[in-house]
Amino acid sequence: MRALRLILALVGALLTGAEPFAAQDLPPDPAMLVADDVMLGTDNRLIARGNVEAFHDGRRLTAREIVYDRATDRLEITGPLSLTEDEGETVVVADSASLDRDLVNGILRGARMVMQDQLQLAAHRMRRTDARVTELYKASVTSCRICETGRPPLWQIRARRMIHDSEKRRLYFYDAQLRVLDTPVLYLPRLRMPDGSVDRATGFLTPEFVNSTLLGSGVRVPYFIVLDDHRDLTVAPFWATDSRRIELRYRQAFRNGDIEINTALSDDDFNPRSTRGYLFATGRFGLPRDFFLRFDLELASDDTFLLDHGFSTKNRLRSGVSIERARRDEYTRLALDHFQSLRVNESDSTLPSIVADGEYTRRIFPSRLGGELSLTALAHSHYRTSSLRIDGPDFDIFADGHDVTRFTTEANWQRQWALSSGVLATVETGLALDHFEIAQIGVTARSQATEITPSAAVRLRWPLMKTTRGGVVHVIEPVAQLAWSGGSNPDIPFEESTAVEFDEGNLFNISRFPSSGRRERGVSGAVGLSYARVSPEGWEGRLALGHVIRDERLLEPTGAPSFTRSSGLRDRRSDLLVAAQYRNQSGLVVTGRSLFDDVFDTTKAEARVSWQNARTDLGATYTWLPSDPAEQRPSTVSEWSFDGHHRFADNWTASAEWRYDAATDRSIQAGAGITYTNECVDITLSVSRRFTSSTILEPETNIGFIVGLRGFSAASRDKSFTRTCRK
């Protein structure tokens, strides 16, 4: 290839209409031409032959021959030619072309266009006008990989005429056919689609075909509407043999937040209600001075609508609004929530349906005293619509109609020292004031109570570390704590701390109740041991043990134990806490936690195994909980759950889920699916079965089939699914 400086200056002059050698009059970005052979004829025509390359205004043209006629101001190009623009986002290949000097407007014959490295457009003739509109005649569009085997693509859209508007980034088809393996399956007189560079575009989304034993056979066709740059609406009608439904989703982004509203209305033949529906809404907004406003709205027309239509598995709905601010040394939150129960055995009238909370926490680091001083003020109130004046048994929070309001102020100071032996000593002390107001109380509890709770604790940690020659790091840390908390729990309804989880997160808390409505009292000791092994080969293991001992068993004013039987903390000596974890570089993670009694029988257990890498994401969980009426669990829970997907071939992915109740020896839910994905299509076939049944629920089987065309969205550029052509 030979580049001639004199010829380039001449070409720039010819293309810009300037005098041949007036270099000072050249535009800032003149046209450039490189070729093996360049000639200037007597008829004022410039001819370039052999490995021709032309550059102008970000466009690059390669061809076998280019002839520029200054009289007509046109370029006659002999191909094969290639025109690249938009920084490589669009490539046009043609047999020949006639273009203007800016390489923008003109006609290309036997043209093929590749857009966003996804869509491939081929046409008998292509015309470009105004640097914006490209018209293709007898056109074909596909995003499938086309190999030189003569086989048609998996799918293509053929049209008598097609227009690409680069400004609107849209494709317009006239007299279009959707062909699958070159067989026409759908005729569309008019069709509009995005060109592959658009994140949001008005139009139909992927339809879904459903066959359900409850809803019947039907199709769901969502339609997405772009209202403007910060708002959109999705309308999804669903029509089945036993159900008609319309879904709406509205989203709007603001400068300081966003909202999303999801709702649906249905007319179901299998339900006596003429109209059923739900409404979910969420929002988050930034306020002045670092505050945030959040709100949630969750409403359902009846107890089974969400499950019947597959919108949610929630059995309690929460609607609320909150304002909060979190800073380094300060936290503020105000919240108001409303709860709606969808459970068969719960009544909204005796459920604390309206709950208000307020919290303010401030951290101070006094220079003279040292350490950290934490000041907290809490307010909590919950209201029941029931007016029952029945004081039910302890832990039965749904038997009464009483309302409770609690105010708490608390100050805690903590400081840590490093002793000469390497032991870390921590001293913690605090004082709390709790005041309760109870309305509609029964005859066995007080309507008002105030309690002052002083507390103190000393905790010693001795971290020991060893590194072997092979780089393996061993860390072992024994911990011991002695704590004391004064006062006594007042005779008020047991409301906010009915379920306590004893784990390594609260092993060394002075009080392990989740709420300050109840506190641990008296003298207690806690001991623990943690061990970690970290290998440079990429795997690590961790083990933690813990045990709590009290001077006496913790009882309520009524004489009942303060902790539930399954909490592991009911007796003077707690159950033994054992937690372990193993992980390696292949993505395998095994986690387990359990409580053991004095004879080393399991009193509570949970375990999870997961394996995650580029092709696999699998997880299995086992949970075992004993029956405990105090925690609203009348029977033993022994449940397995499994979920995951595995890409077993380049274009095939299998998925499955399963929940099994080992206590009753029956499945709760099961499902499986298989997805085929390549560069131009997504095909998913799934089947699921819900086995649960009750007075308001029936078992249900669903079969779903989804076919989606790839290439028309900016989010479909995963090249790992792209097929290759075999030679």
Side-chain angles (χ1 to χ4, degrees):
M1 181 175 290
R2 186 175 67 250
L4 301 177
R5 192 179 300 270
L6 179 61
I7 297 298
L8 291 180
L10 178 61
V11 171
L14 289 174
L15 294 183
T16 57
E19 292 300 323
F21 297 101
Q24 66 273 16
D25 297 330
L26 288 176
D29 186 17
M32 297 183 63
L33 183 69
V34 179
D36 289 344
D37 190 13
V38 180
M39 295 183 301
L40 182 62
T42 57
D43 54 355
N44 211 17
R45 297 173 67 202
L46 179 69
I47 303 173
R49 295 190 181 96
N51 297 318
V52 183
E53 290 187 73
F55 304 89
H56 179 66
D57 197 21
R59 301 178 185 88
R60 178 176 180 266
L61 174 68
T62 62
R64 189 176 64 184
E65 180 181 282
I66 295 179
V67 177
Y68 173 66
D69 190 338
R70 185 177 182 185
T72 60
D73 204 22
R74 307 277 309 169
L75 292 169
E76 295 296 332
I77 306 168
T78 302
L81 66 90
S82 173
L83 176 62
T84 304
E85 54 187 357
D86 298 332
E87 297 182 354
E89 294 292 335
T90 302
V91 179
V92 180
V93 180
D95 296 332
S96 61
S98 177
L99 300 175
D100 63 1
R101 66 179 183 181
D102 294 328
L103 307 178
V104 172
N105 302 321
I107 296 176
L108 297 94
R109 291 168 287 274
R112 295 170 298 281
M113 179 187 297
V114 179
M115 304 175 61
Q116 306 296 321
D117 200 22
Q118 297 183 98
L119 285 181
Q120 303 173 62
L121 296 79
H124 178 70
R125 186 165 61 96
M126 180 187 299
R127 186 176 69 180
R128 304 178 54 141
T129 58
D130 300 331
R132 167 182 172 180
V133 176
T134 302
E135 293 185 72
L136 297 93
Y137 301 92
K138 295 183 180 180
S140 174
V141 179
T142 186
S143 59
C144 298
R145 187 69 177 266
I146 300 176
C147 302
E148 296 180 359
T149 60
R151 296 179 181 178
L154 181 61
W155 67 264
Q156 60 179 310
I157 299 176
R158 287 190 177 181
R160 176 182 57 84
R161 177 169 169 256
M162 190 191 72
I163 296 176
H164 174 233
D165 190 326
S166 60
E167 184 175 304
K168 293 184 177 180
R169 298 187 294 177
R170 297 289 189 274
L171 297 170
Y172 301 89
F173 300 84
Y174 299 89
D175 295 330
Q177 290 181 353
L178 174 62
R179 295 191 171 210
V180 177
L181 296 176
D182 209 24
T183 302
V185 297
L186 183 63
Y187 171 73
L188 298 167
R190 298 289 188 273
L191 179 63
R192 181 183 67 181
M193 304 188 76
D195 66 1
S197 64
V198 181
D199 294 320
R200 299 163 63 246
T202 298
F204 287 99
L205 302 179
T206 303
E208 179 180 2
F209 300 93
V210 176
N211 182 277
S212 168
T213 57
L214 186 66
L215 305 178
S217 300
V219 60
R220 178 179 178 269
V221 184
Y223 187 78
F224 183 77
I225 304 171
V226 177
L227 301 177
D228 51 40
D229 291 341
H230 56 278
R231 293 184 301 162
D232 57 54
L233 175 68
T234 303
V235 182
F238 172 76
W239 189 274
T241 53
D242 297 324
S243 177
R244 278 71 54 194
R245 185 180 75 222
I246 183 71
E247 302 172 42
L248 299 174
R249 185 191 70 176
Y250 176 79
R251 301 186 303 178
Q252 182 169 354
F254 302 87
R255 289 185 177 180
N256 59 338
D258 56 79
I259 62 172
E260 180 174 334
I261 302 173
N262 291 273
T263 185
L265 291 175
S266 75
D267 179 15
D268 301 324
D269 297 340
F270 54 85
N271 193 282
R273 287 176 175 262
S274 59
T275 303
R276 310 171 69 201
Y278 88 108
L279 174 63
F280 281 7
T282 60
R284 180 180 182 274
F285 293 90
L287 302 178
R289 302 181 66 181
D290 300 329
F291 281 97
F292 282 93
L293 170 68
R294 293 180 173 88
F295 72 85
D296 294 276
L297 179 64
E298 297 180 351
L299 301 173
S301 60
D302 55 83
D303 294 346
T304 63
F305 177 81
L306 295 175
L307 275 177
D308 289 345
H309 290 267
F311 289 117
S312 175
T313 59
K314 291 184 176 182
N315 53 25
R316 285 179 182 162
L317 304 182
R318 184 185 68 86
S319 301
V321 59
S322 66
I323 297 177
E324 60 183 301
R325 180 178 69 183
R327 292 178 171 176
R328 179 182 180 273
D329 299 321
E330 182 186 62
Y331 178 72
T332 306
R333 182 176 184 267
L334 296 174
L336 180 65
D337 295 300
H338 176 270
F339 292 90
Q340 176 189 356
S341 176
L342 305 181
R343 298 182 179 181
V344 178
N345 58 347
E346 285 185 0
S347 171
D348 286 333
S349 62
T350 56
L351 182 75
S353 55
I354 300 179
V355 180
D357 286 286
E359 178 180 355
Y360 177 79
T361 299
R362 177 75 176 177
R363 296 196 311 167
I364 302 174
F365 302 90
S367 57
R368 293 186 178 182
L369 188 61
E372 176 185 322
L373 177 63
S374 176
L375 304 176
T376 302
L378 300 172
H380 169 86
S381 180
H382 56 259
Y383 169 78
R384 295 177 171 90
T385 57
S386 171
S387 58
L388 293 175
R389 297 177 59 85
I390 302 173
D391 186 16
D394 286 337
F395 305 105
D396 190 356
I397 65 174
F398 306 118
D400 307 331
H402 54 260
D403 309 318
V404 178
T405 299
R406 171 177 55 84
F407 300 97
T408 297
T409 57
E410 190 170 0
N412 289 286
W413 175 76
Q414 178 179 290
R415 186 173 179 181
Q416 180 175 283
W417 290 269
L419 305 182
S420 57
S421 59
V423 175
L424 301 178
T426 302
V427 174
E428 181 179 350
T429 183
L431 182 66
L433 172 66
D434 300 303
H435 178 75
F436 303 87
E437 296 283 344
I438 302 97
Q440 299 170 201
I441 194 65
V443 296
T444 61
R446 299 165 57 185
S447 61
Q448 188 180 88
T450 302
E451 187 66 31
I452 298 178
T453 305
S455 61
V458 177
R459 183 165 57 252
L460 300 177
R461 296 178 178 270
W462 194 13
L464 304 170
M465 185 178 72
K466 176 184 177 180
T467 303
T468 65
R469 291 183 178 180
V472 178
V473 178
H474 300 267
V475 180
I476 186 170
E477 183 180 50
V479 185
Q481 174 180 281
L482 181 64
W484 168 81
S485 182
S488 60
N489 285 323
D491 184 14
I492 59 174
F494 206 114
E495 293 274 282
E496 302 175 67
S497 298
T498 58
V500 178
E501 294 295 333
F502 178 39
D503 54 31
E504 56 270 41
N506 60 13
L507 173 62
F508 296 103
N509 289 0
I510 297 178
S511 177
R512 294 162 190 86
F513 285 110
S515 169
S516 57
R518 279 292 189 275
R519 298 181 185 273
E520 290 190 50
R521 313 286 179 171
V523 178
S524 66
V527 292
L529 178 69
S530 65
Y531 168 75
R533 183 187 189 275
V534 181
S535 171
E537 298 176 355
W539 74 269
E540 62 182 67
R542 301 180 184 275
L543 175 67
L545 307 174
H547 190 59
V548 176
I549 303 175
R550 298 188 190 87
D551 61 338
E552 58 182 5
R553 192 182 187 191
L554 192 60
L555 302 176
E556 291 299 299
T558 59
S562 294
F563 289 101
T564 61
R565 180 168 54 88
S566 61
S567 66
L569 297 166
R570 184 166 185 163
D571 298 325
R572 192 175 69 87
R573 297 170 60 92
S574 76
D575 292 344
L576 176 65
L577 168 66
V578 180
Q581 184 184 77
Y582 167 83
R583 64 172 65 234
N584 62 23
Q585 60 183 0
S586 69
L588 177 65
V589 180
V590 182
T591 303
R593 181 183 293 109
S594 184
L595 298 178
F596 298 93
D597 59 16
D598 293 339
V599 295
F600 216 69
D601 287 338
T602 304
T603 58
K604 186 182 291 187
E606 62 177 340
R608 178 168 177 80
V609 179
S610 64
W611 183 29
Q612 185 175 16
N613 54 39
R615 302 180 69 90
T616 303
D617 188 356
L618 302 175
T621 303
Y622 176 73
T623 303
W624 186 86
L625 299 173
S627 61
D628 194 342
E631 294 188 3
Q632 303 296 311
R633 192 170 55 252
S635 58
T636 299
V637 173
S638 179
E639 183 177 307
W640 286 92
S641 65
F642 169 86
D643 63 273
H645 64 266
H646 174 61
R647 186 174 172 182
F648 61 90
D650 288 342
N651 302 103
W652 292 91
T653 302
S655 61
E657 62 173 347
W658 179 49
R659 288 181 60 195
Y660 174 73
D661 189 346
T664 59
D665 193 21
R666 65 184 181 91
S667 294
I668 301 173
Q669 185 175 349
I674 188 167
T675 300
Y676 175 80
T677 304
N678 61 25
E679 72 283 354
C680 63
V681 71
D682 272 314
I683 303 175
T684 300
L685 177 64
S686 62
V687 59
S688 64
R689 172 72 173 175
R690 191 186 71 225
F691 299 91
T692 54
S693 62
S694 65
T695 57
I696 59 175
L697 279 178
E698 295 182 2
E700 179 186 3
T701 301
N702 285 284
I703 299 175
F705 182 65
I706 302 175
V707 178
L709 303 182
R710 295 165 60 93
F712 294 98
S713 171
S716 58
R717 301 186 185 180
D718 189 347
K719 295 185 178 181
S720 65
F721 293 100
T722 302
R723 297 170 297 170
T724 58
C725 295
R726 296 181 179 179
K727 296 183 179 179

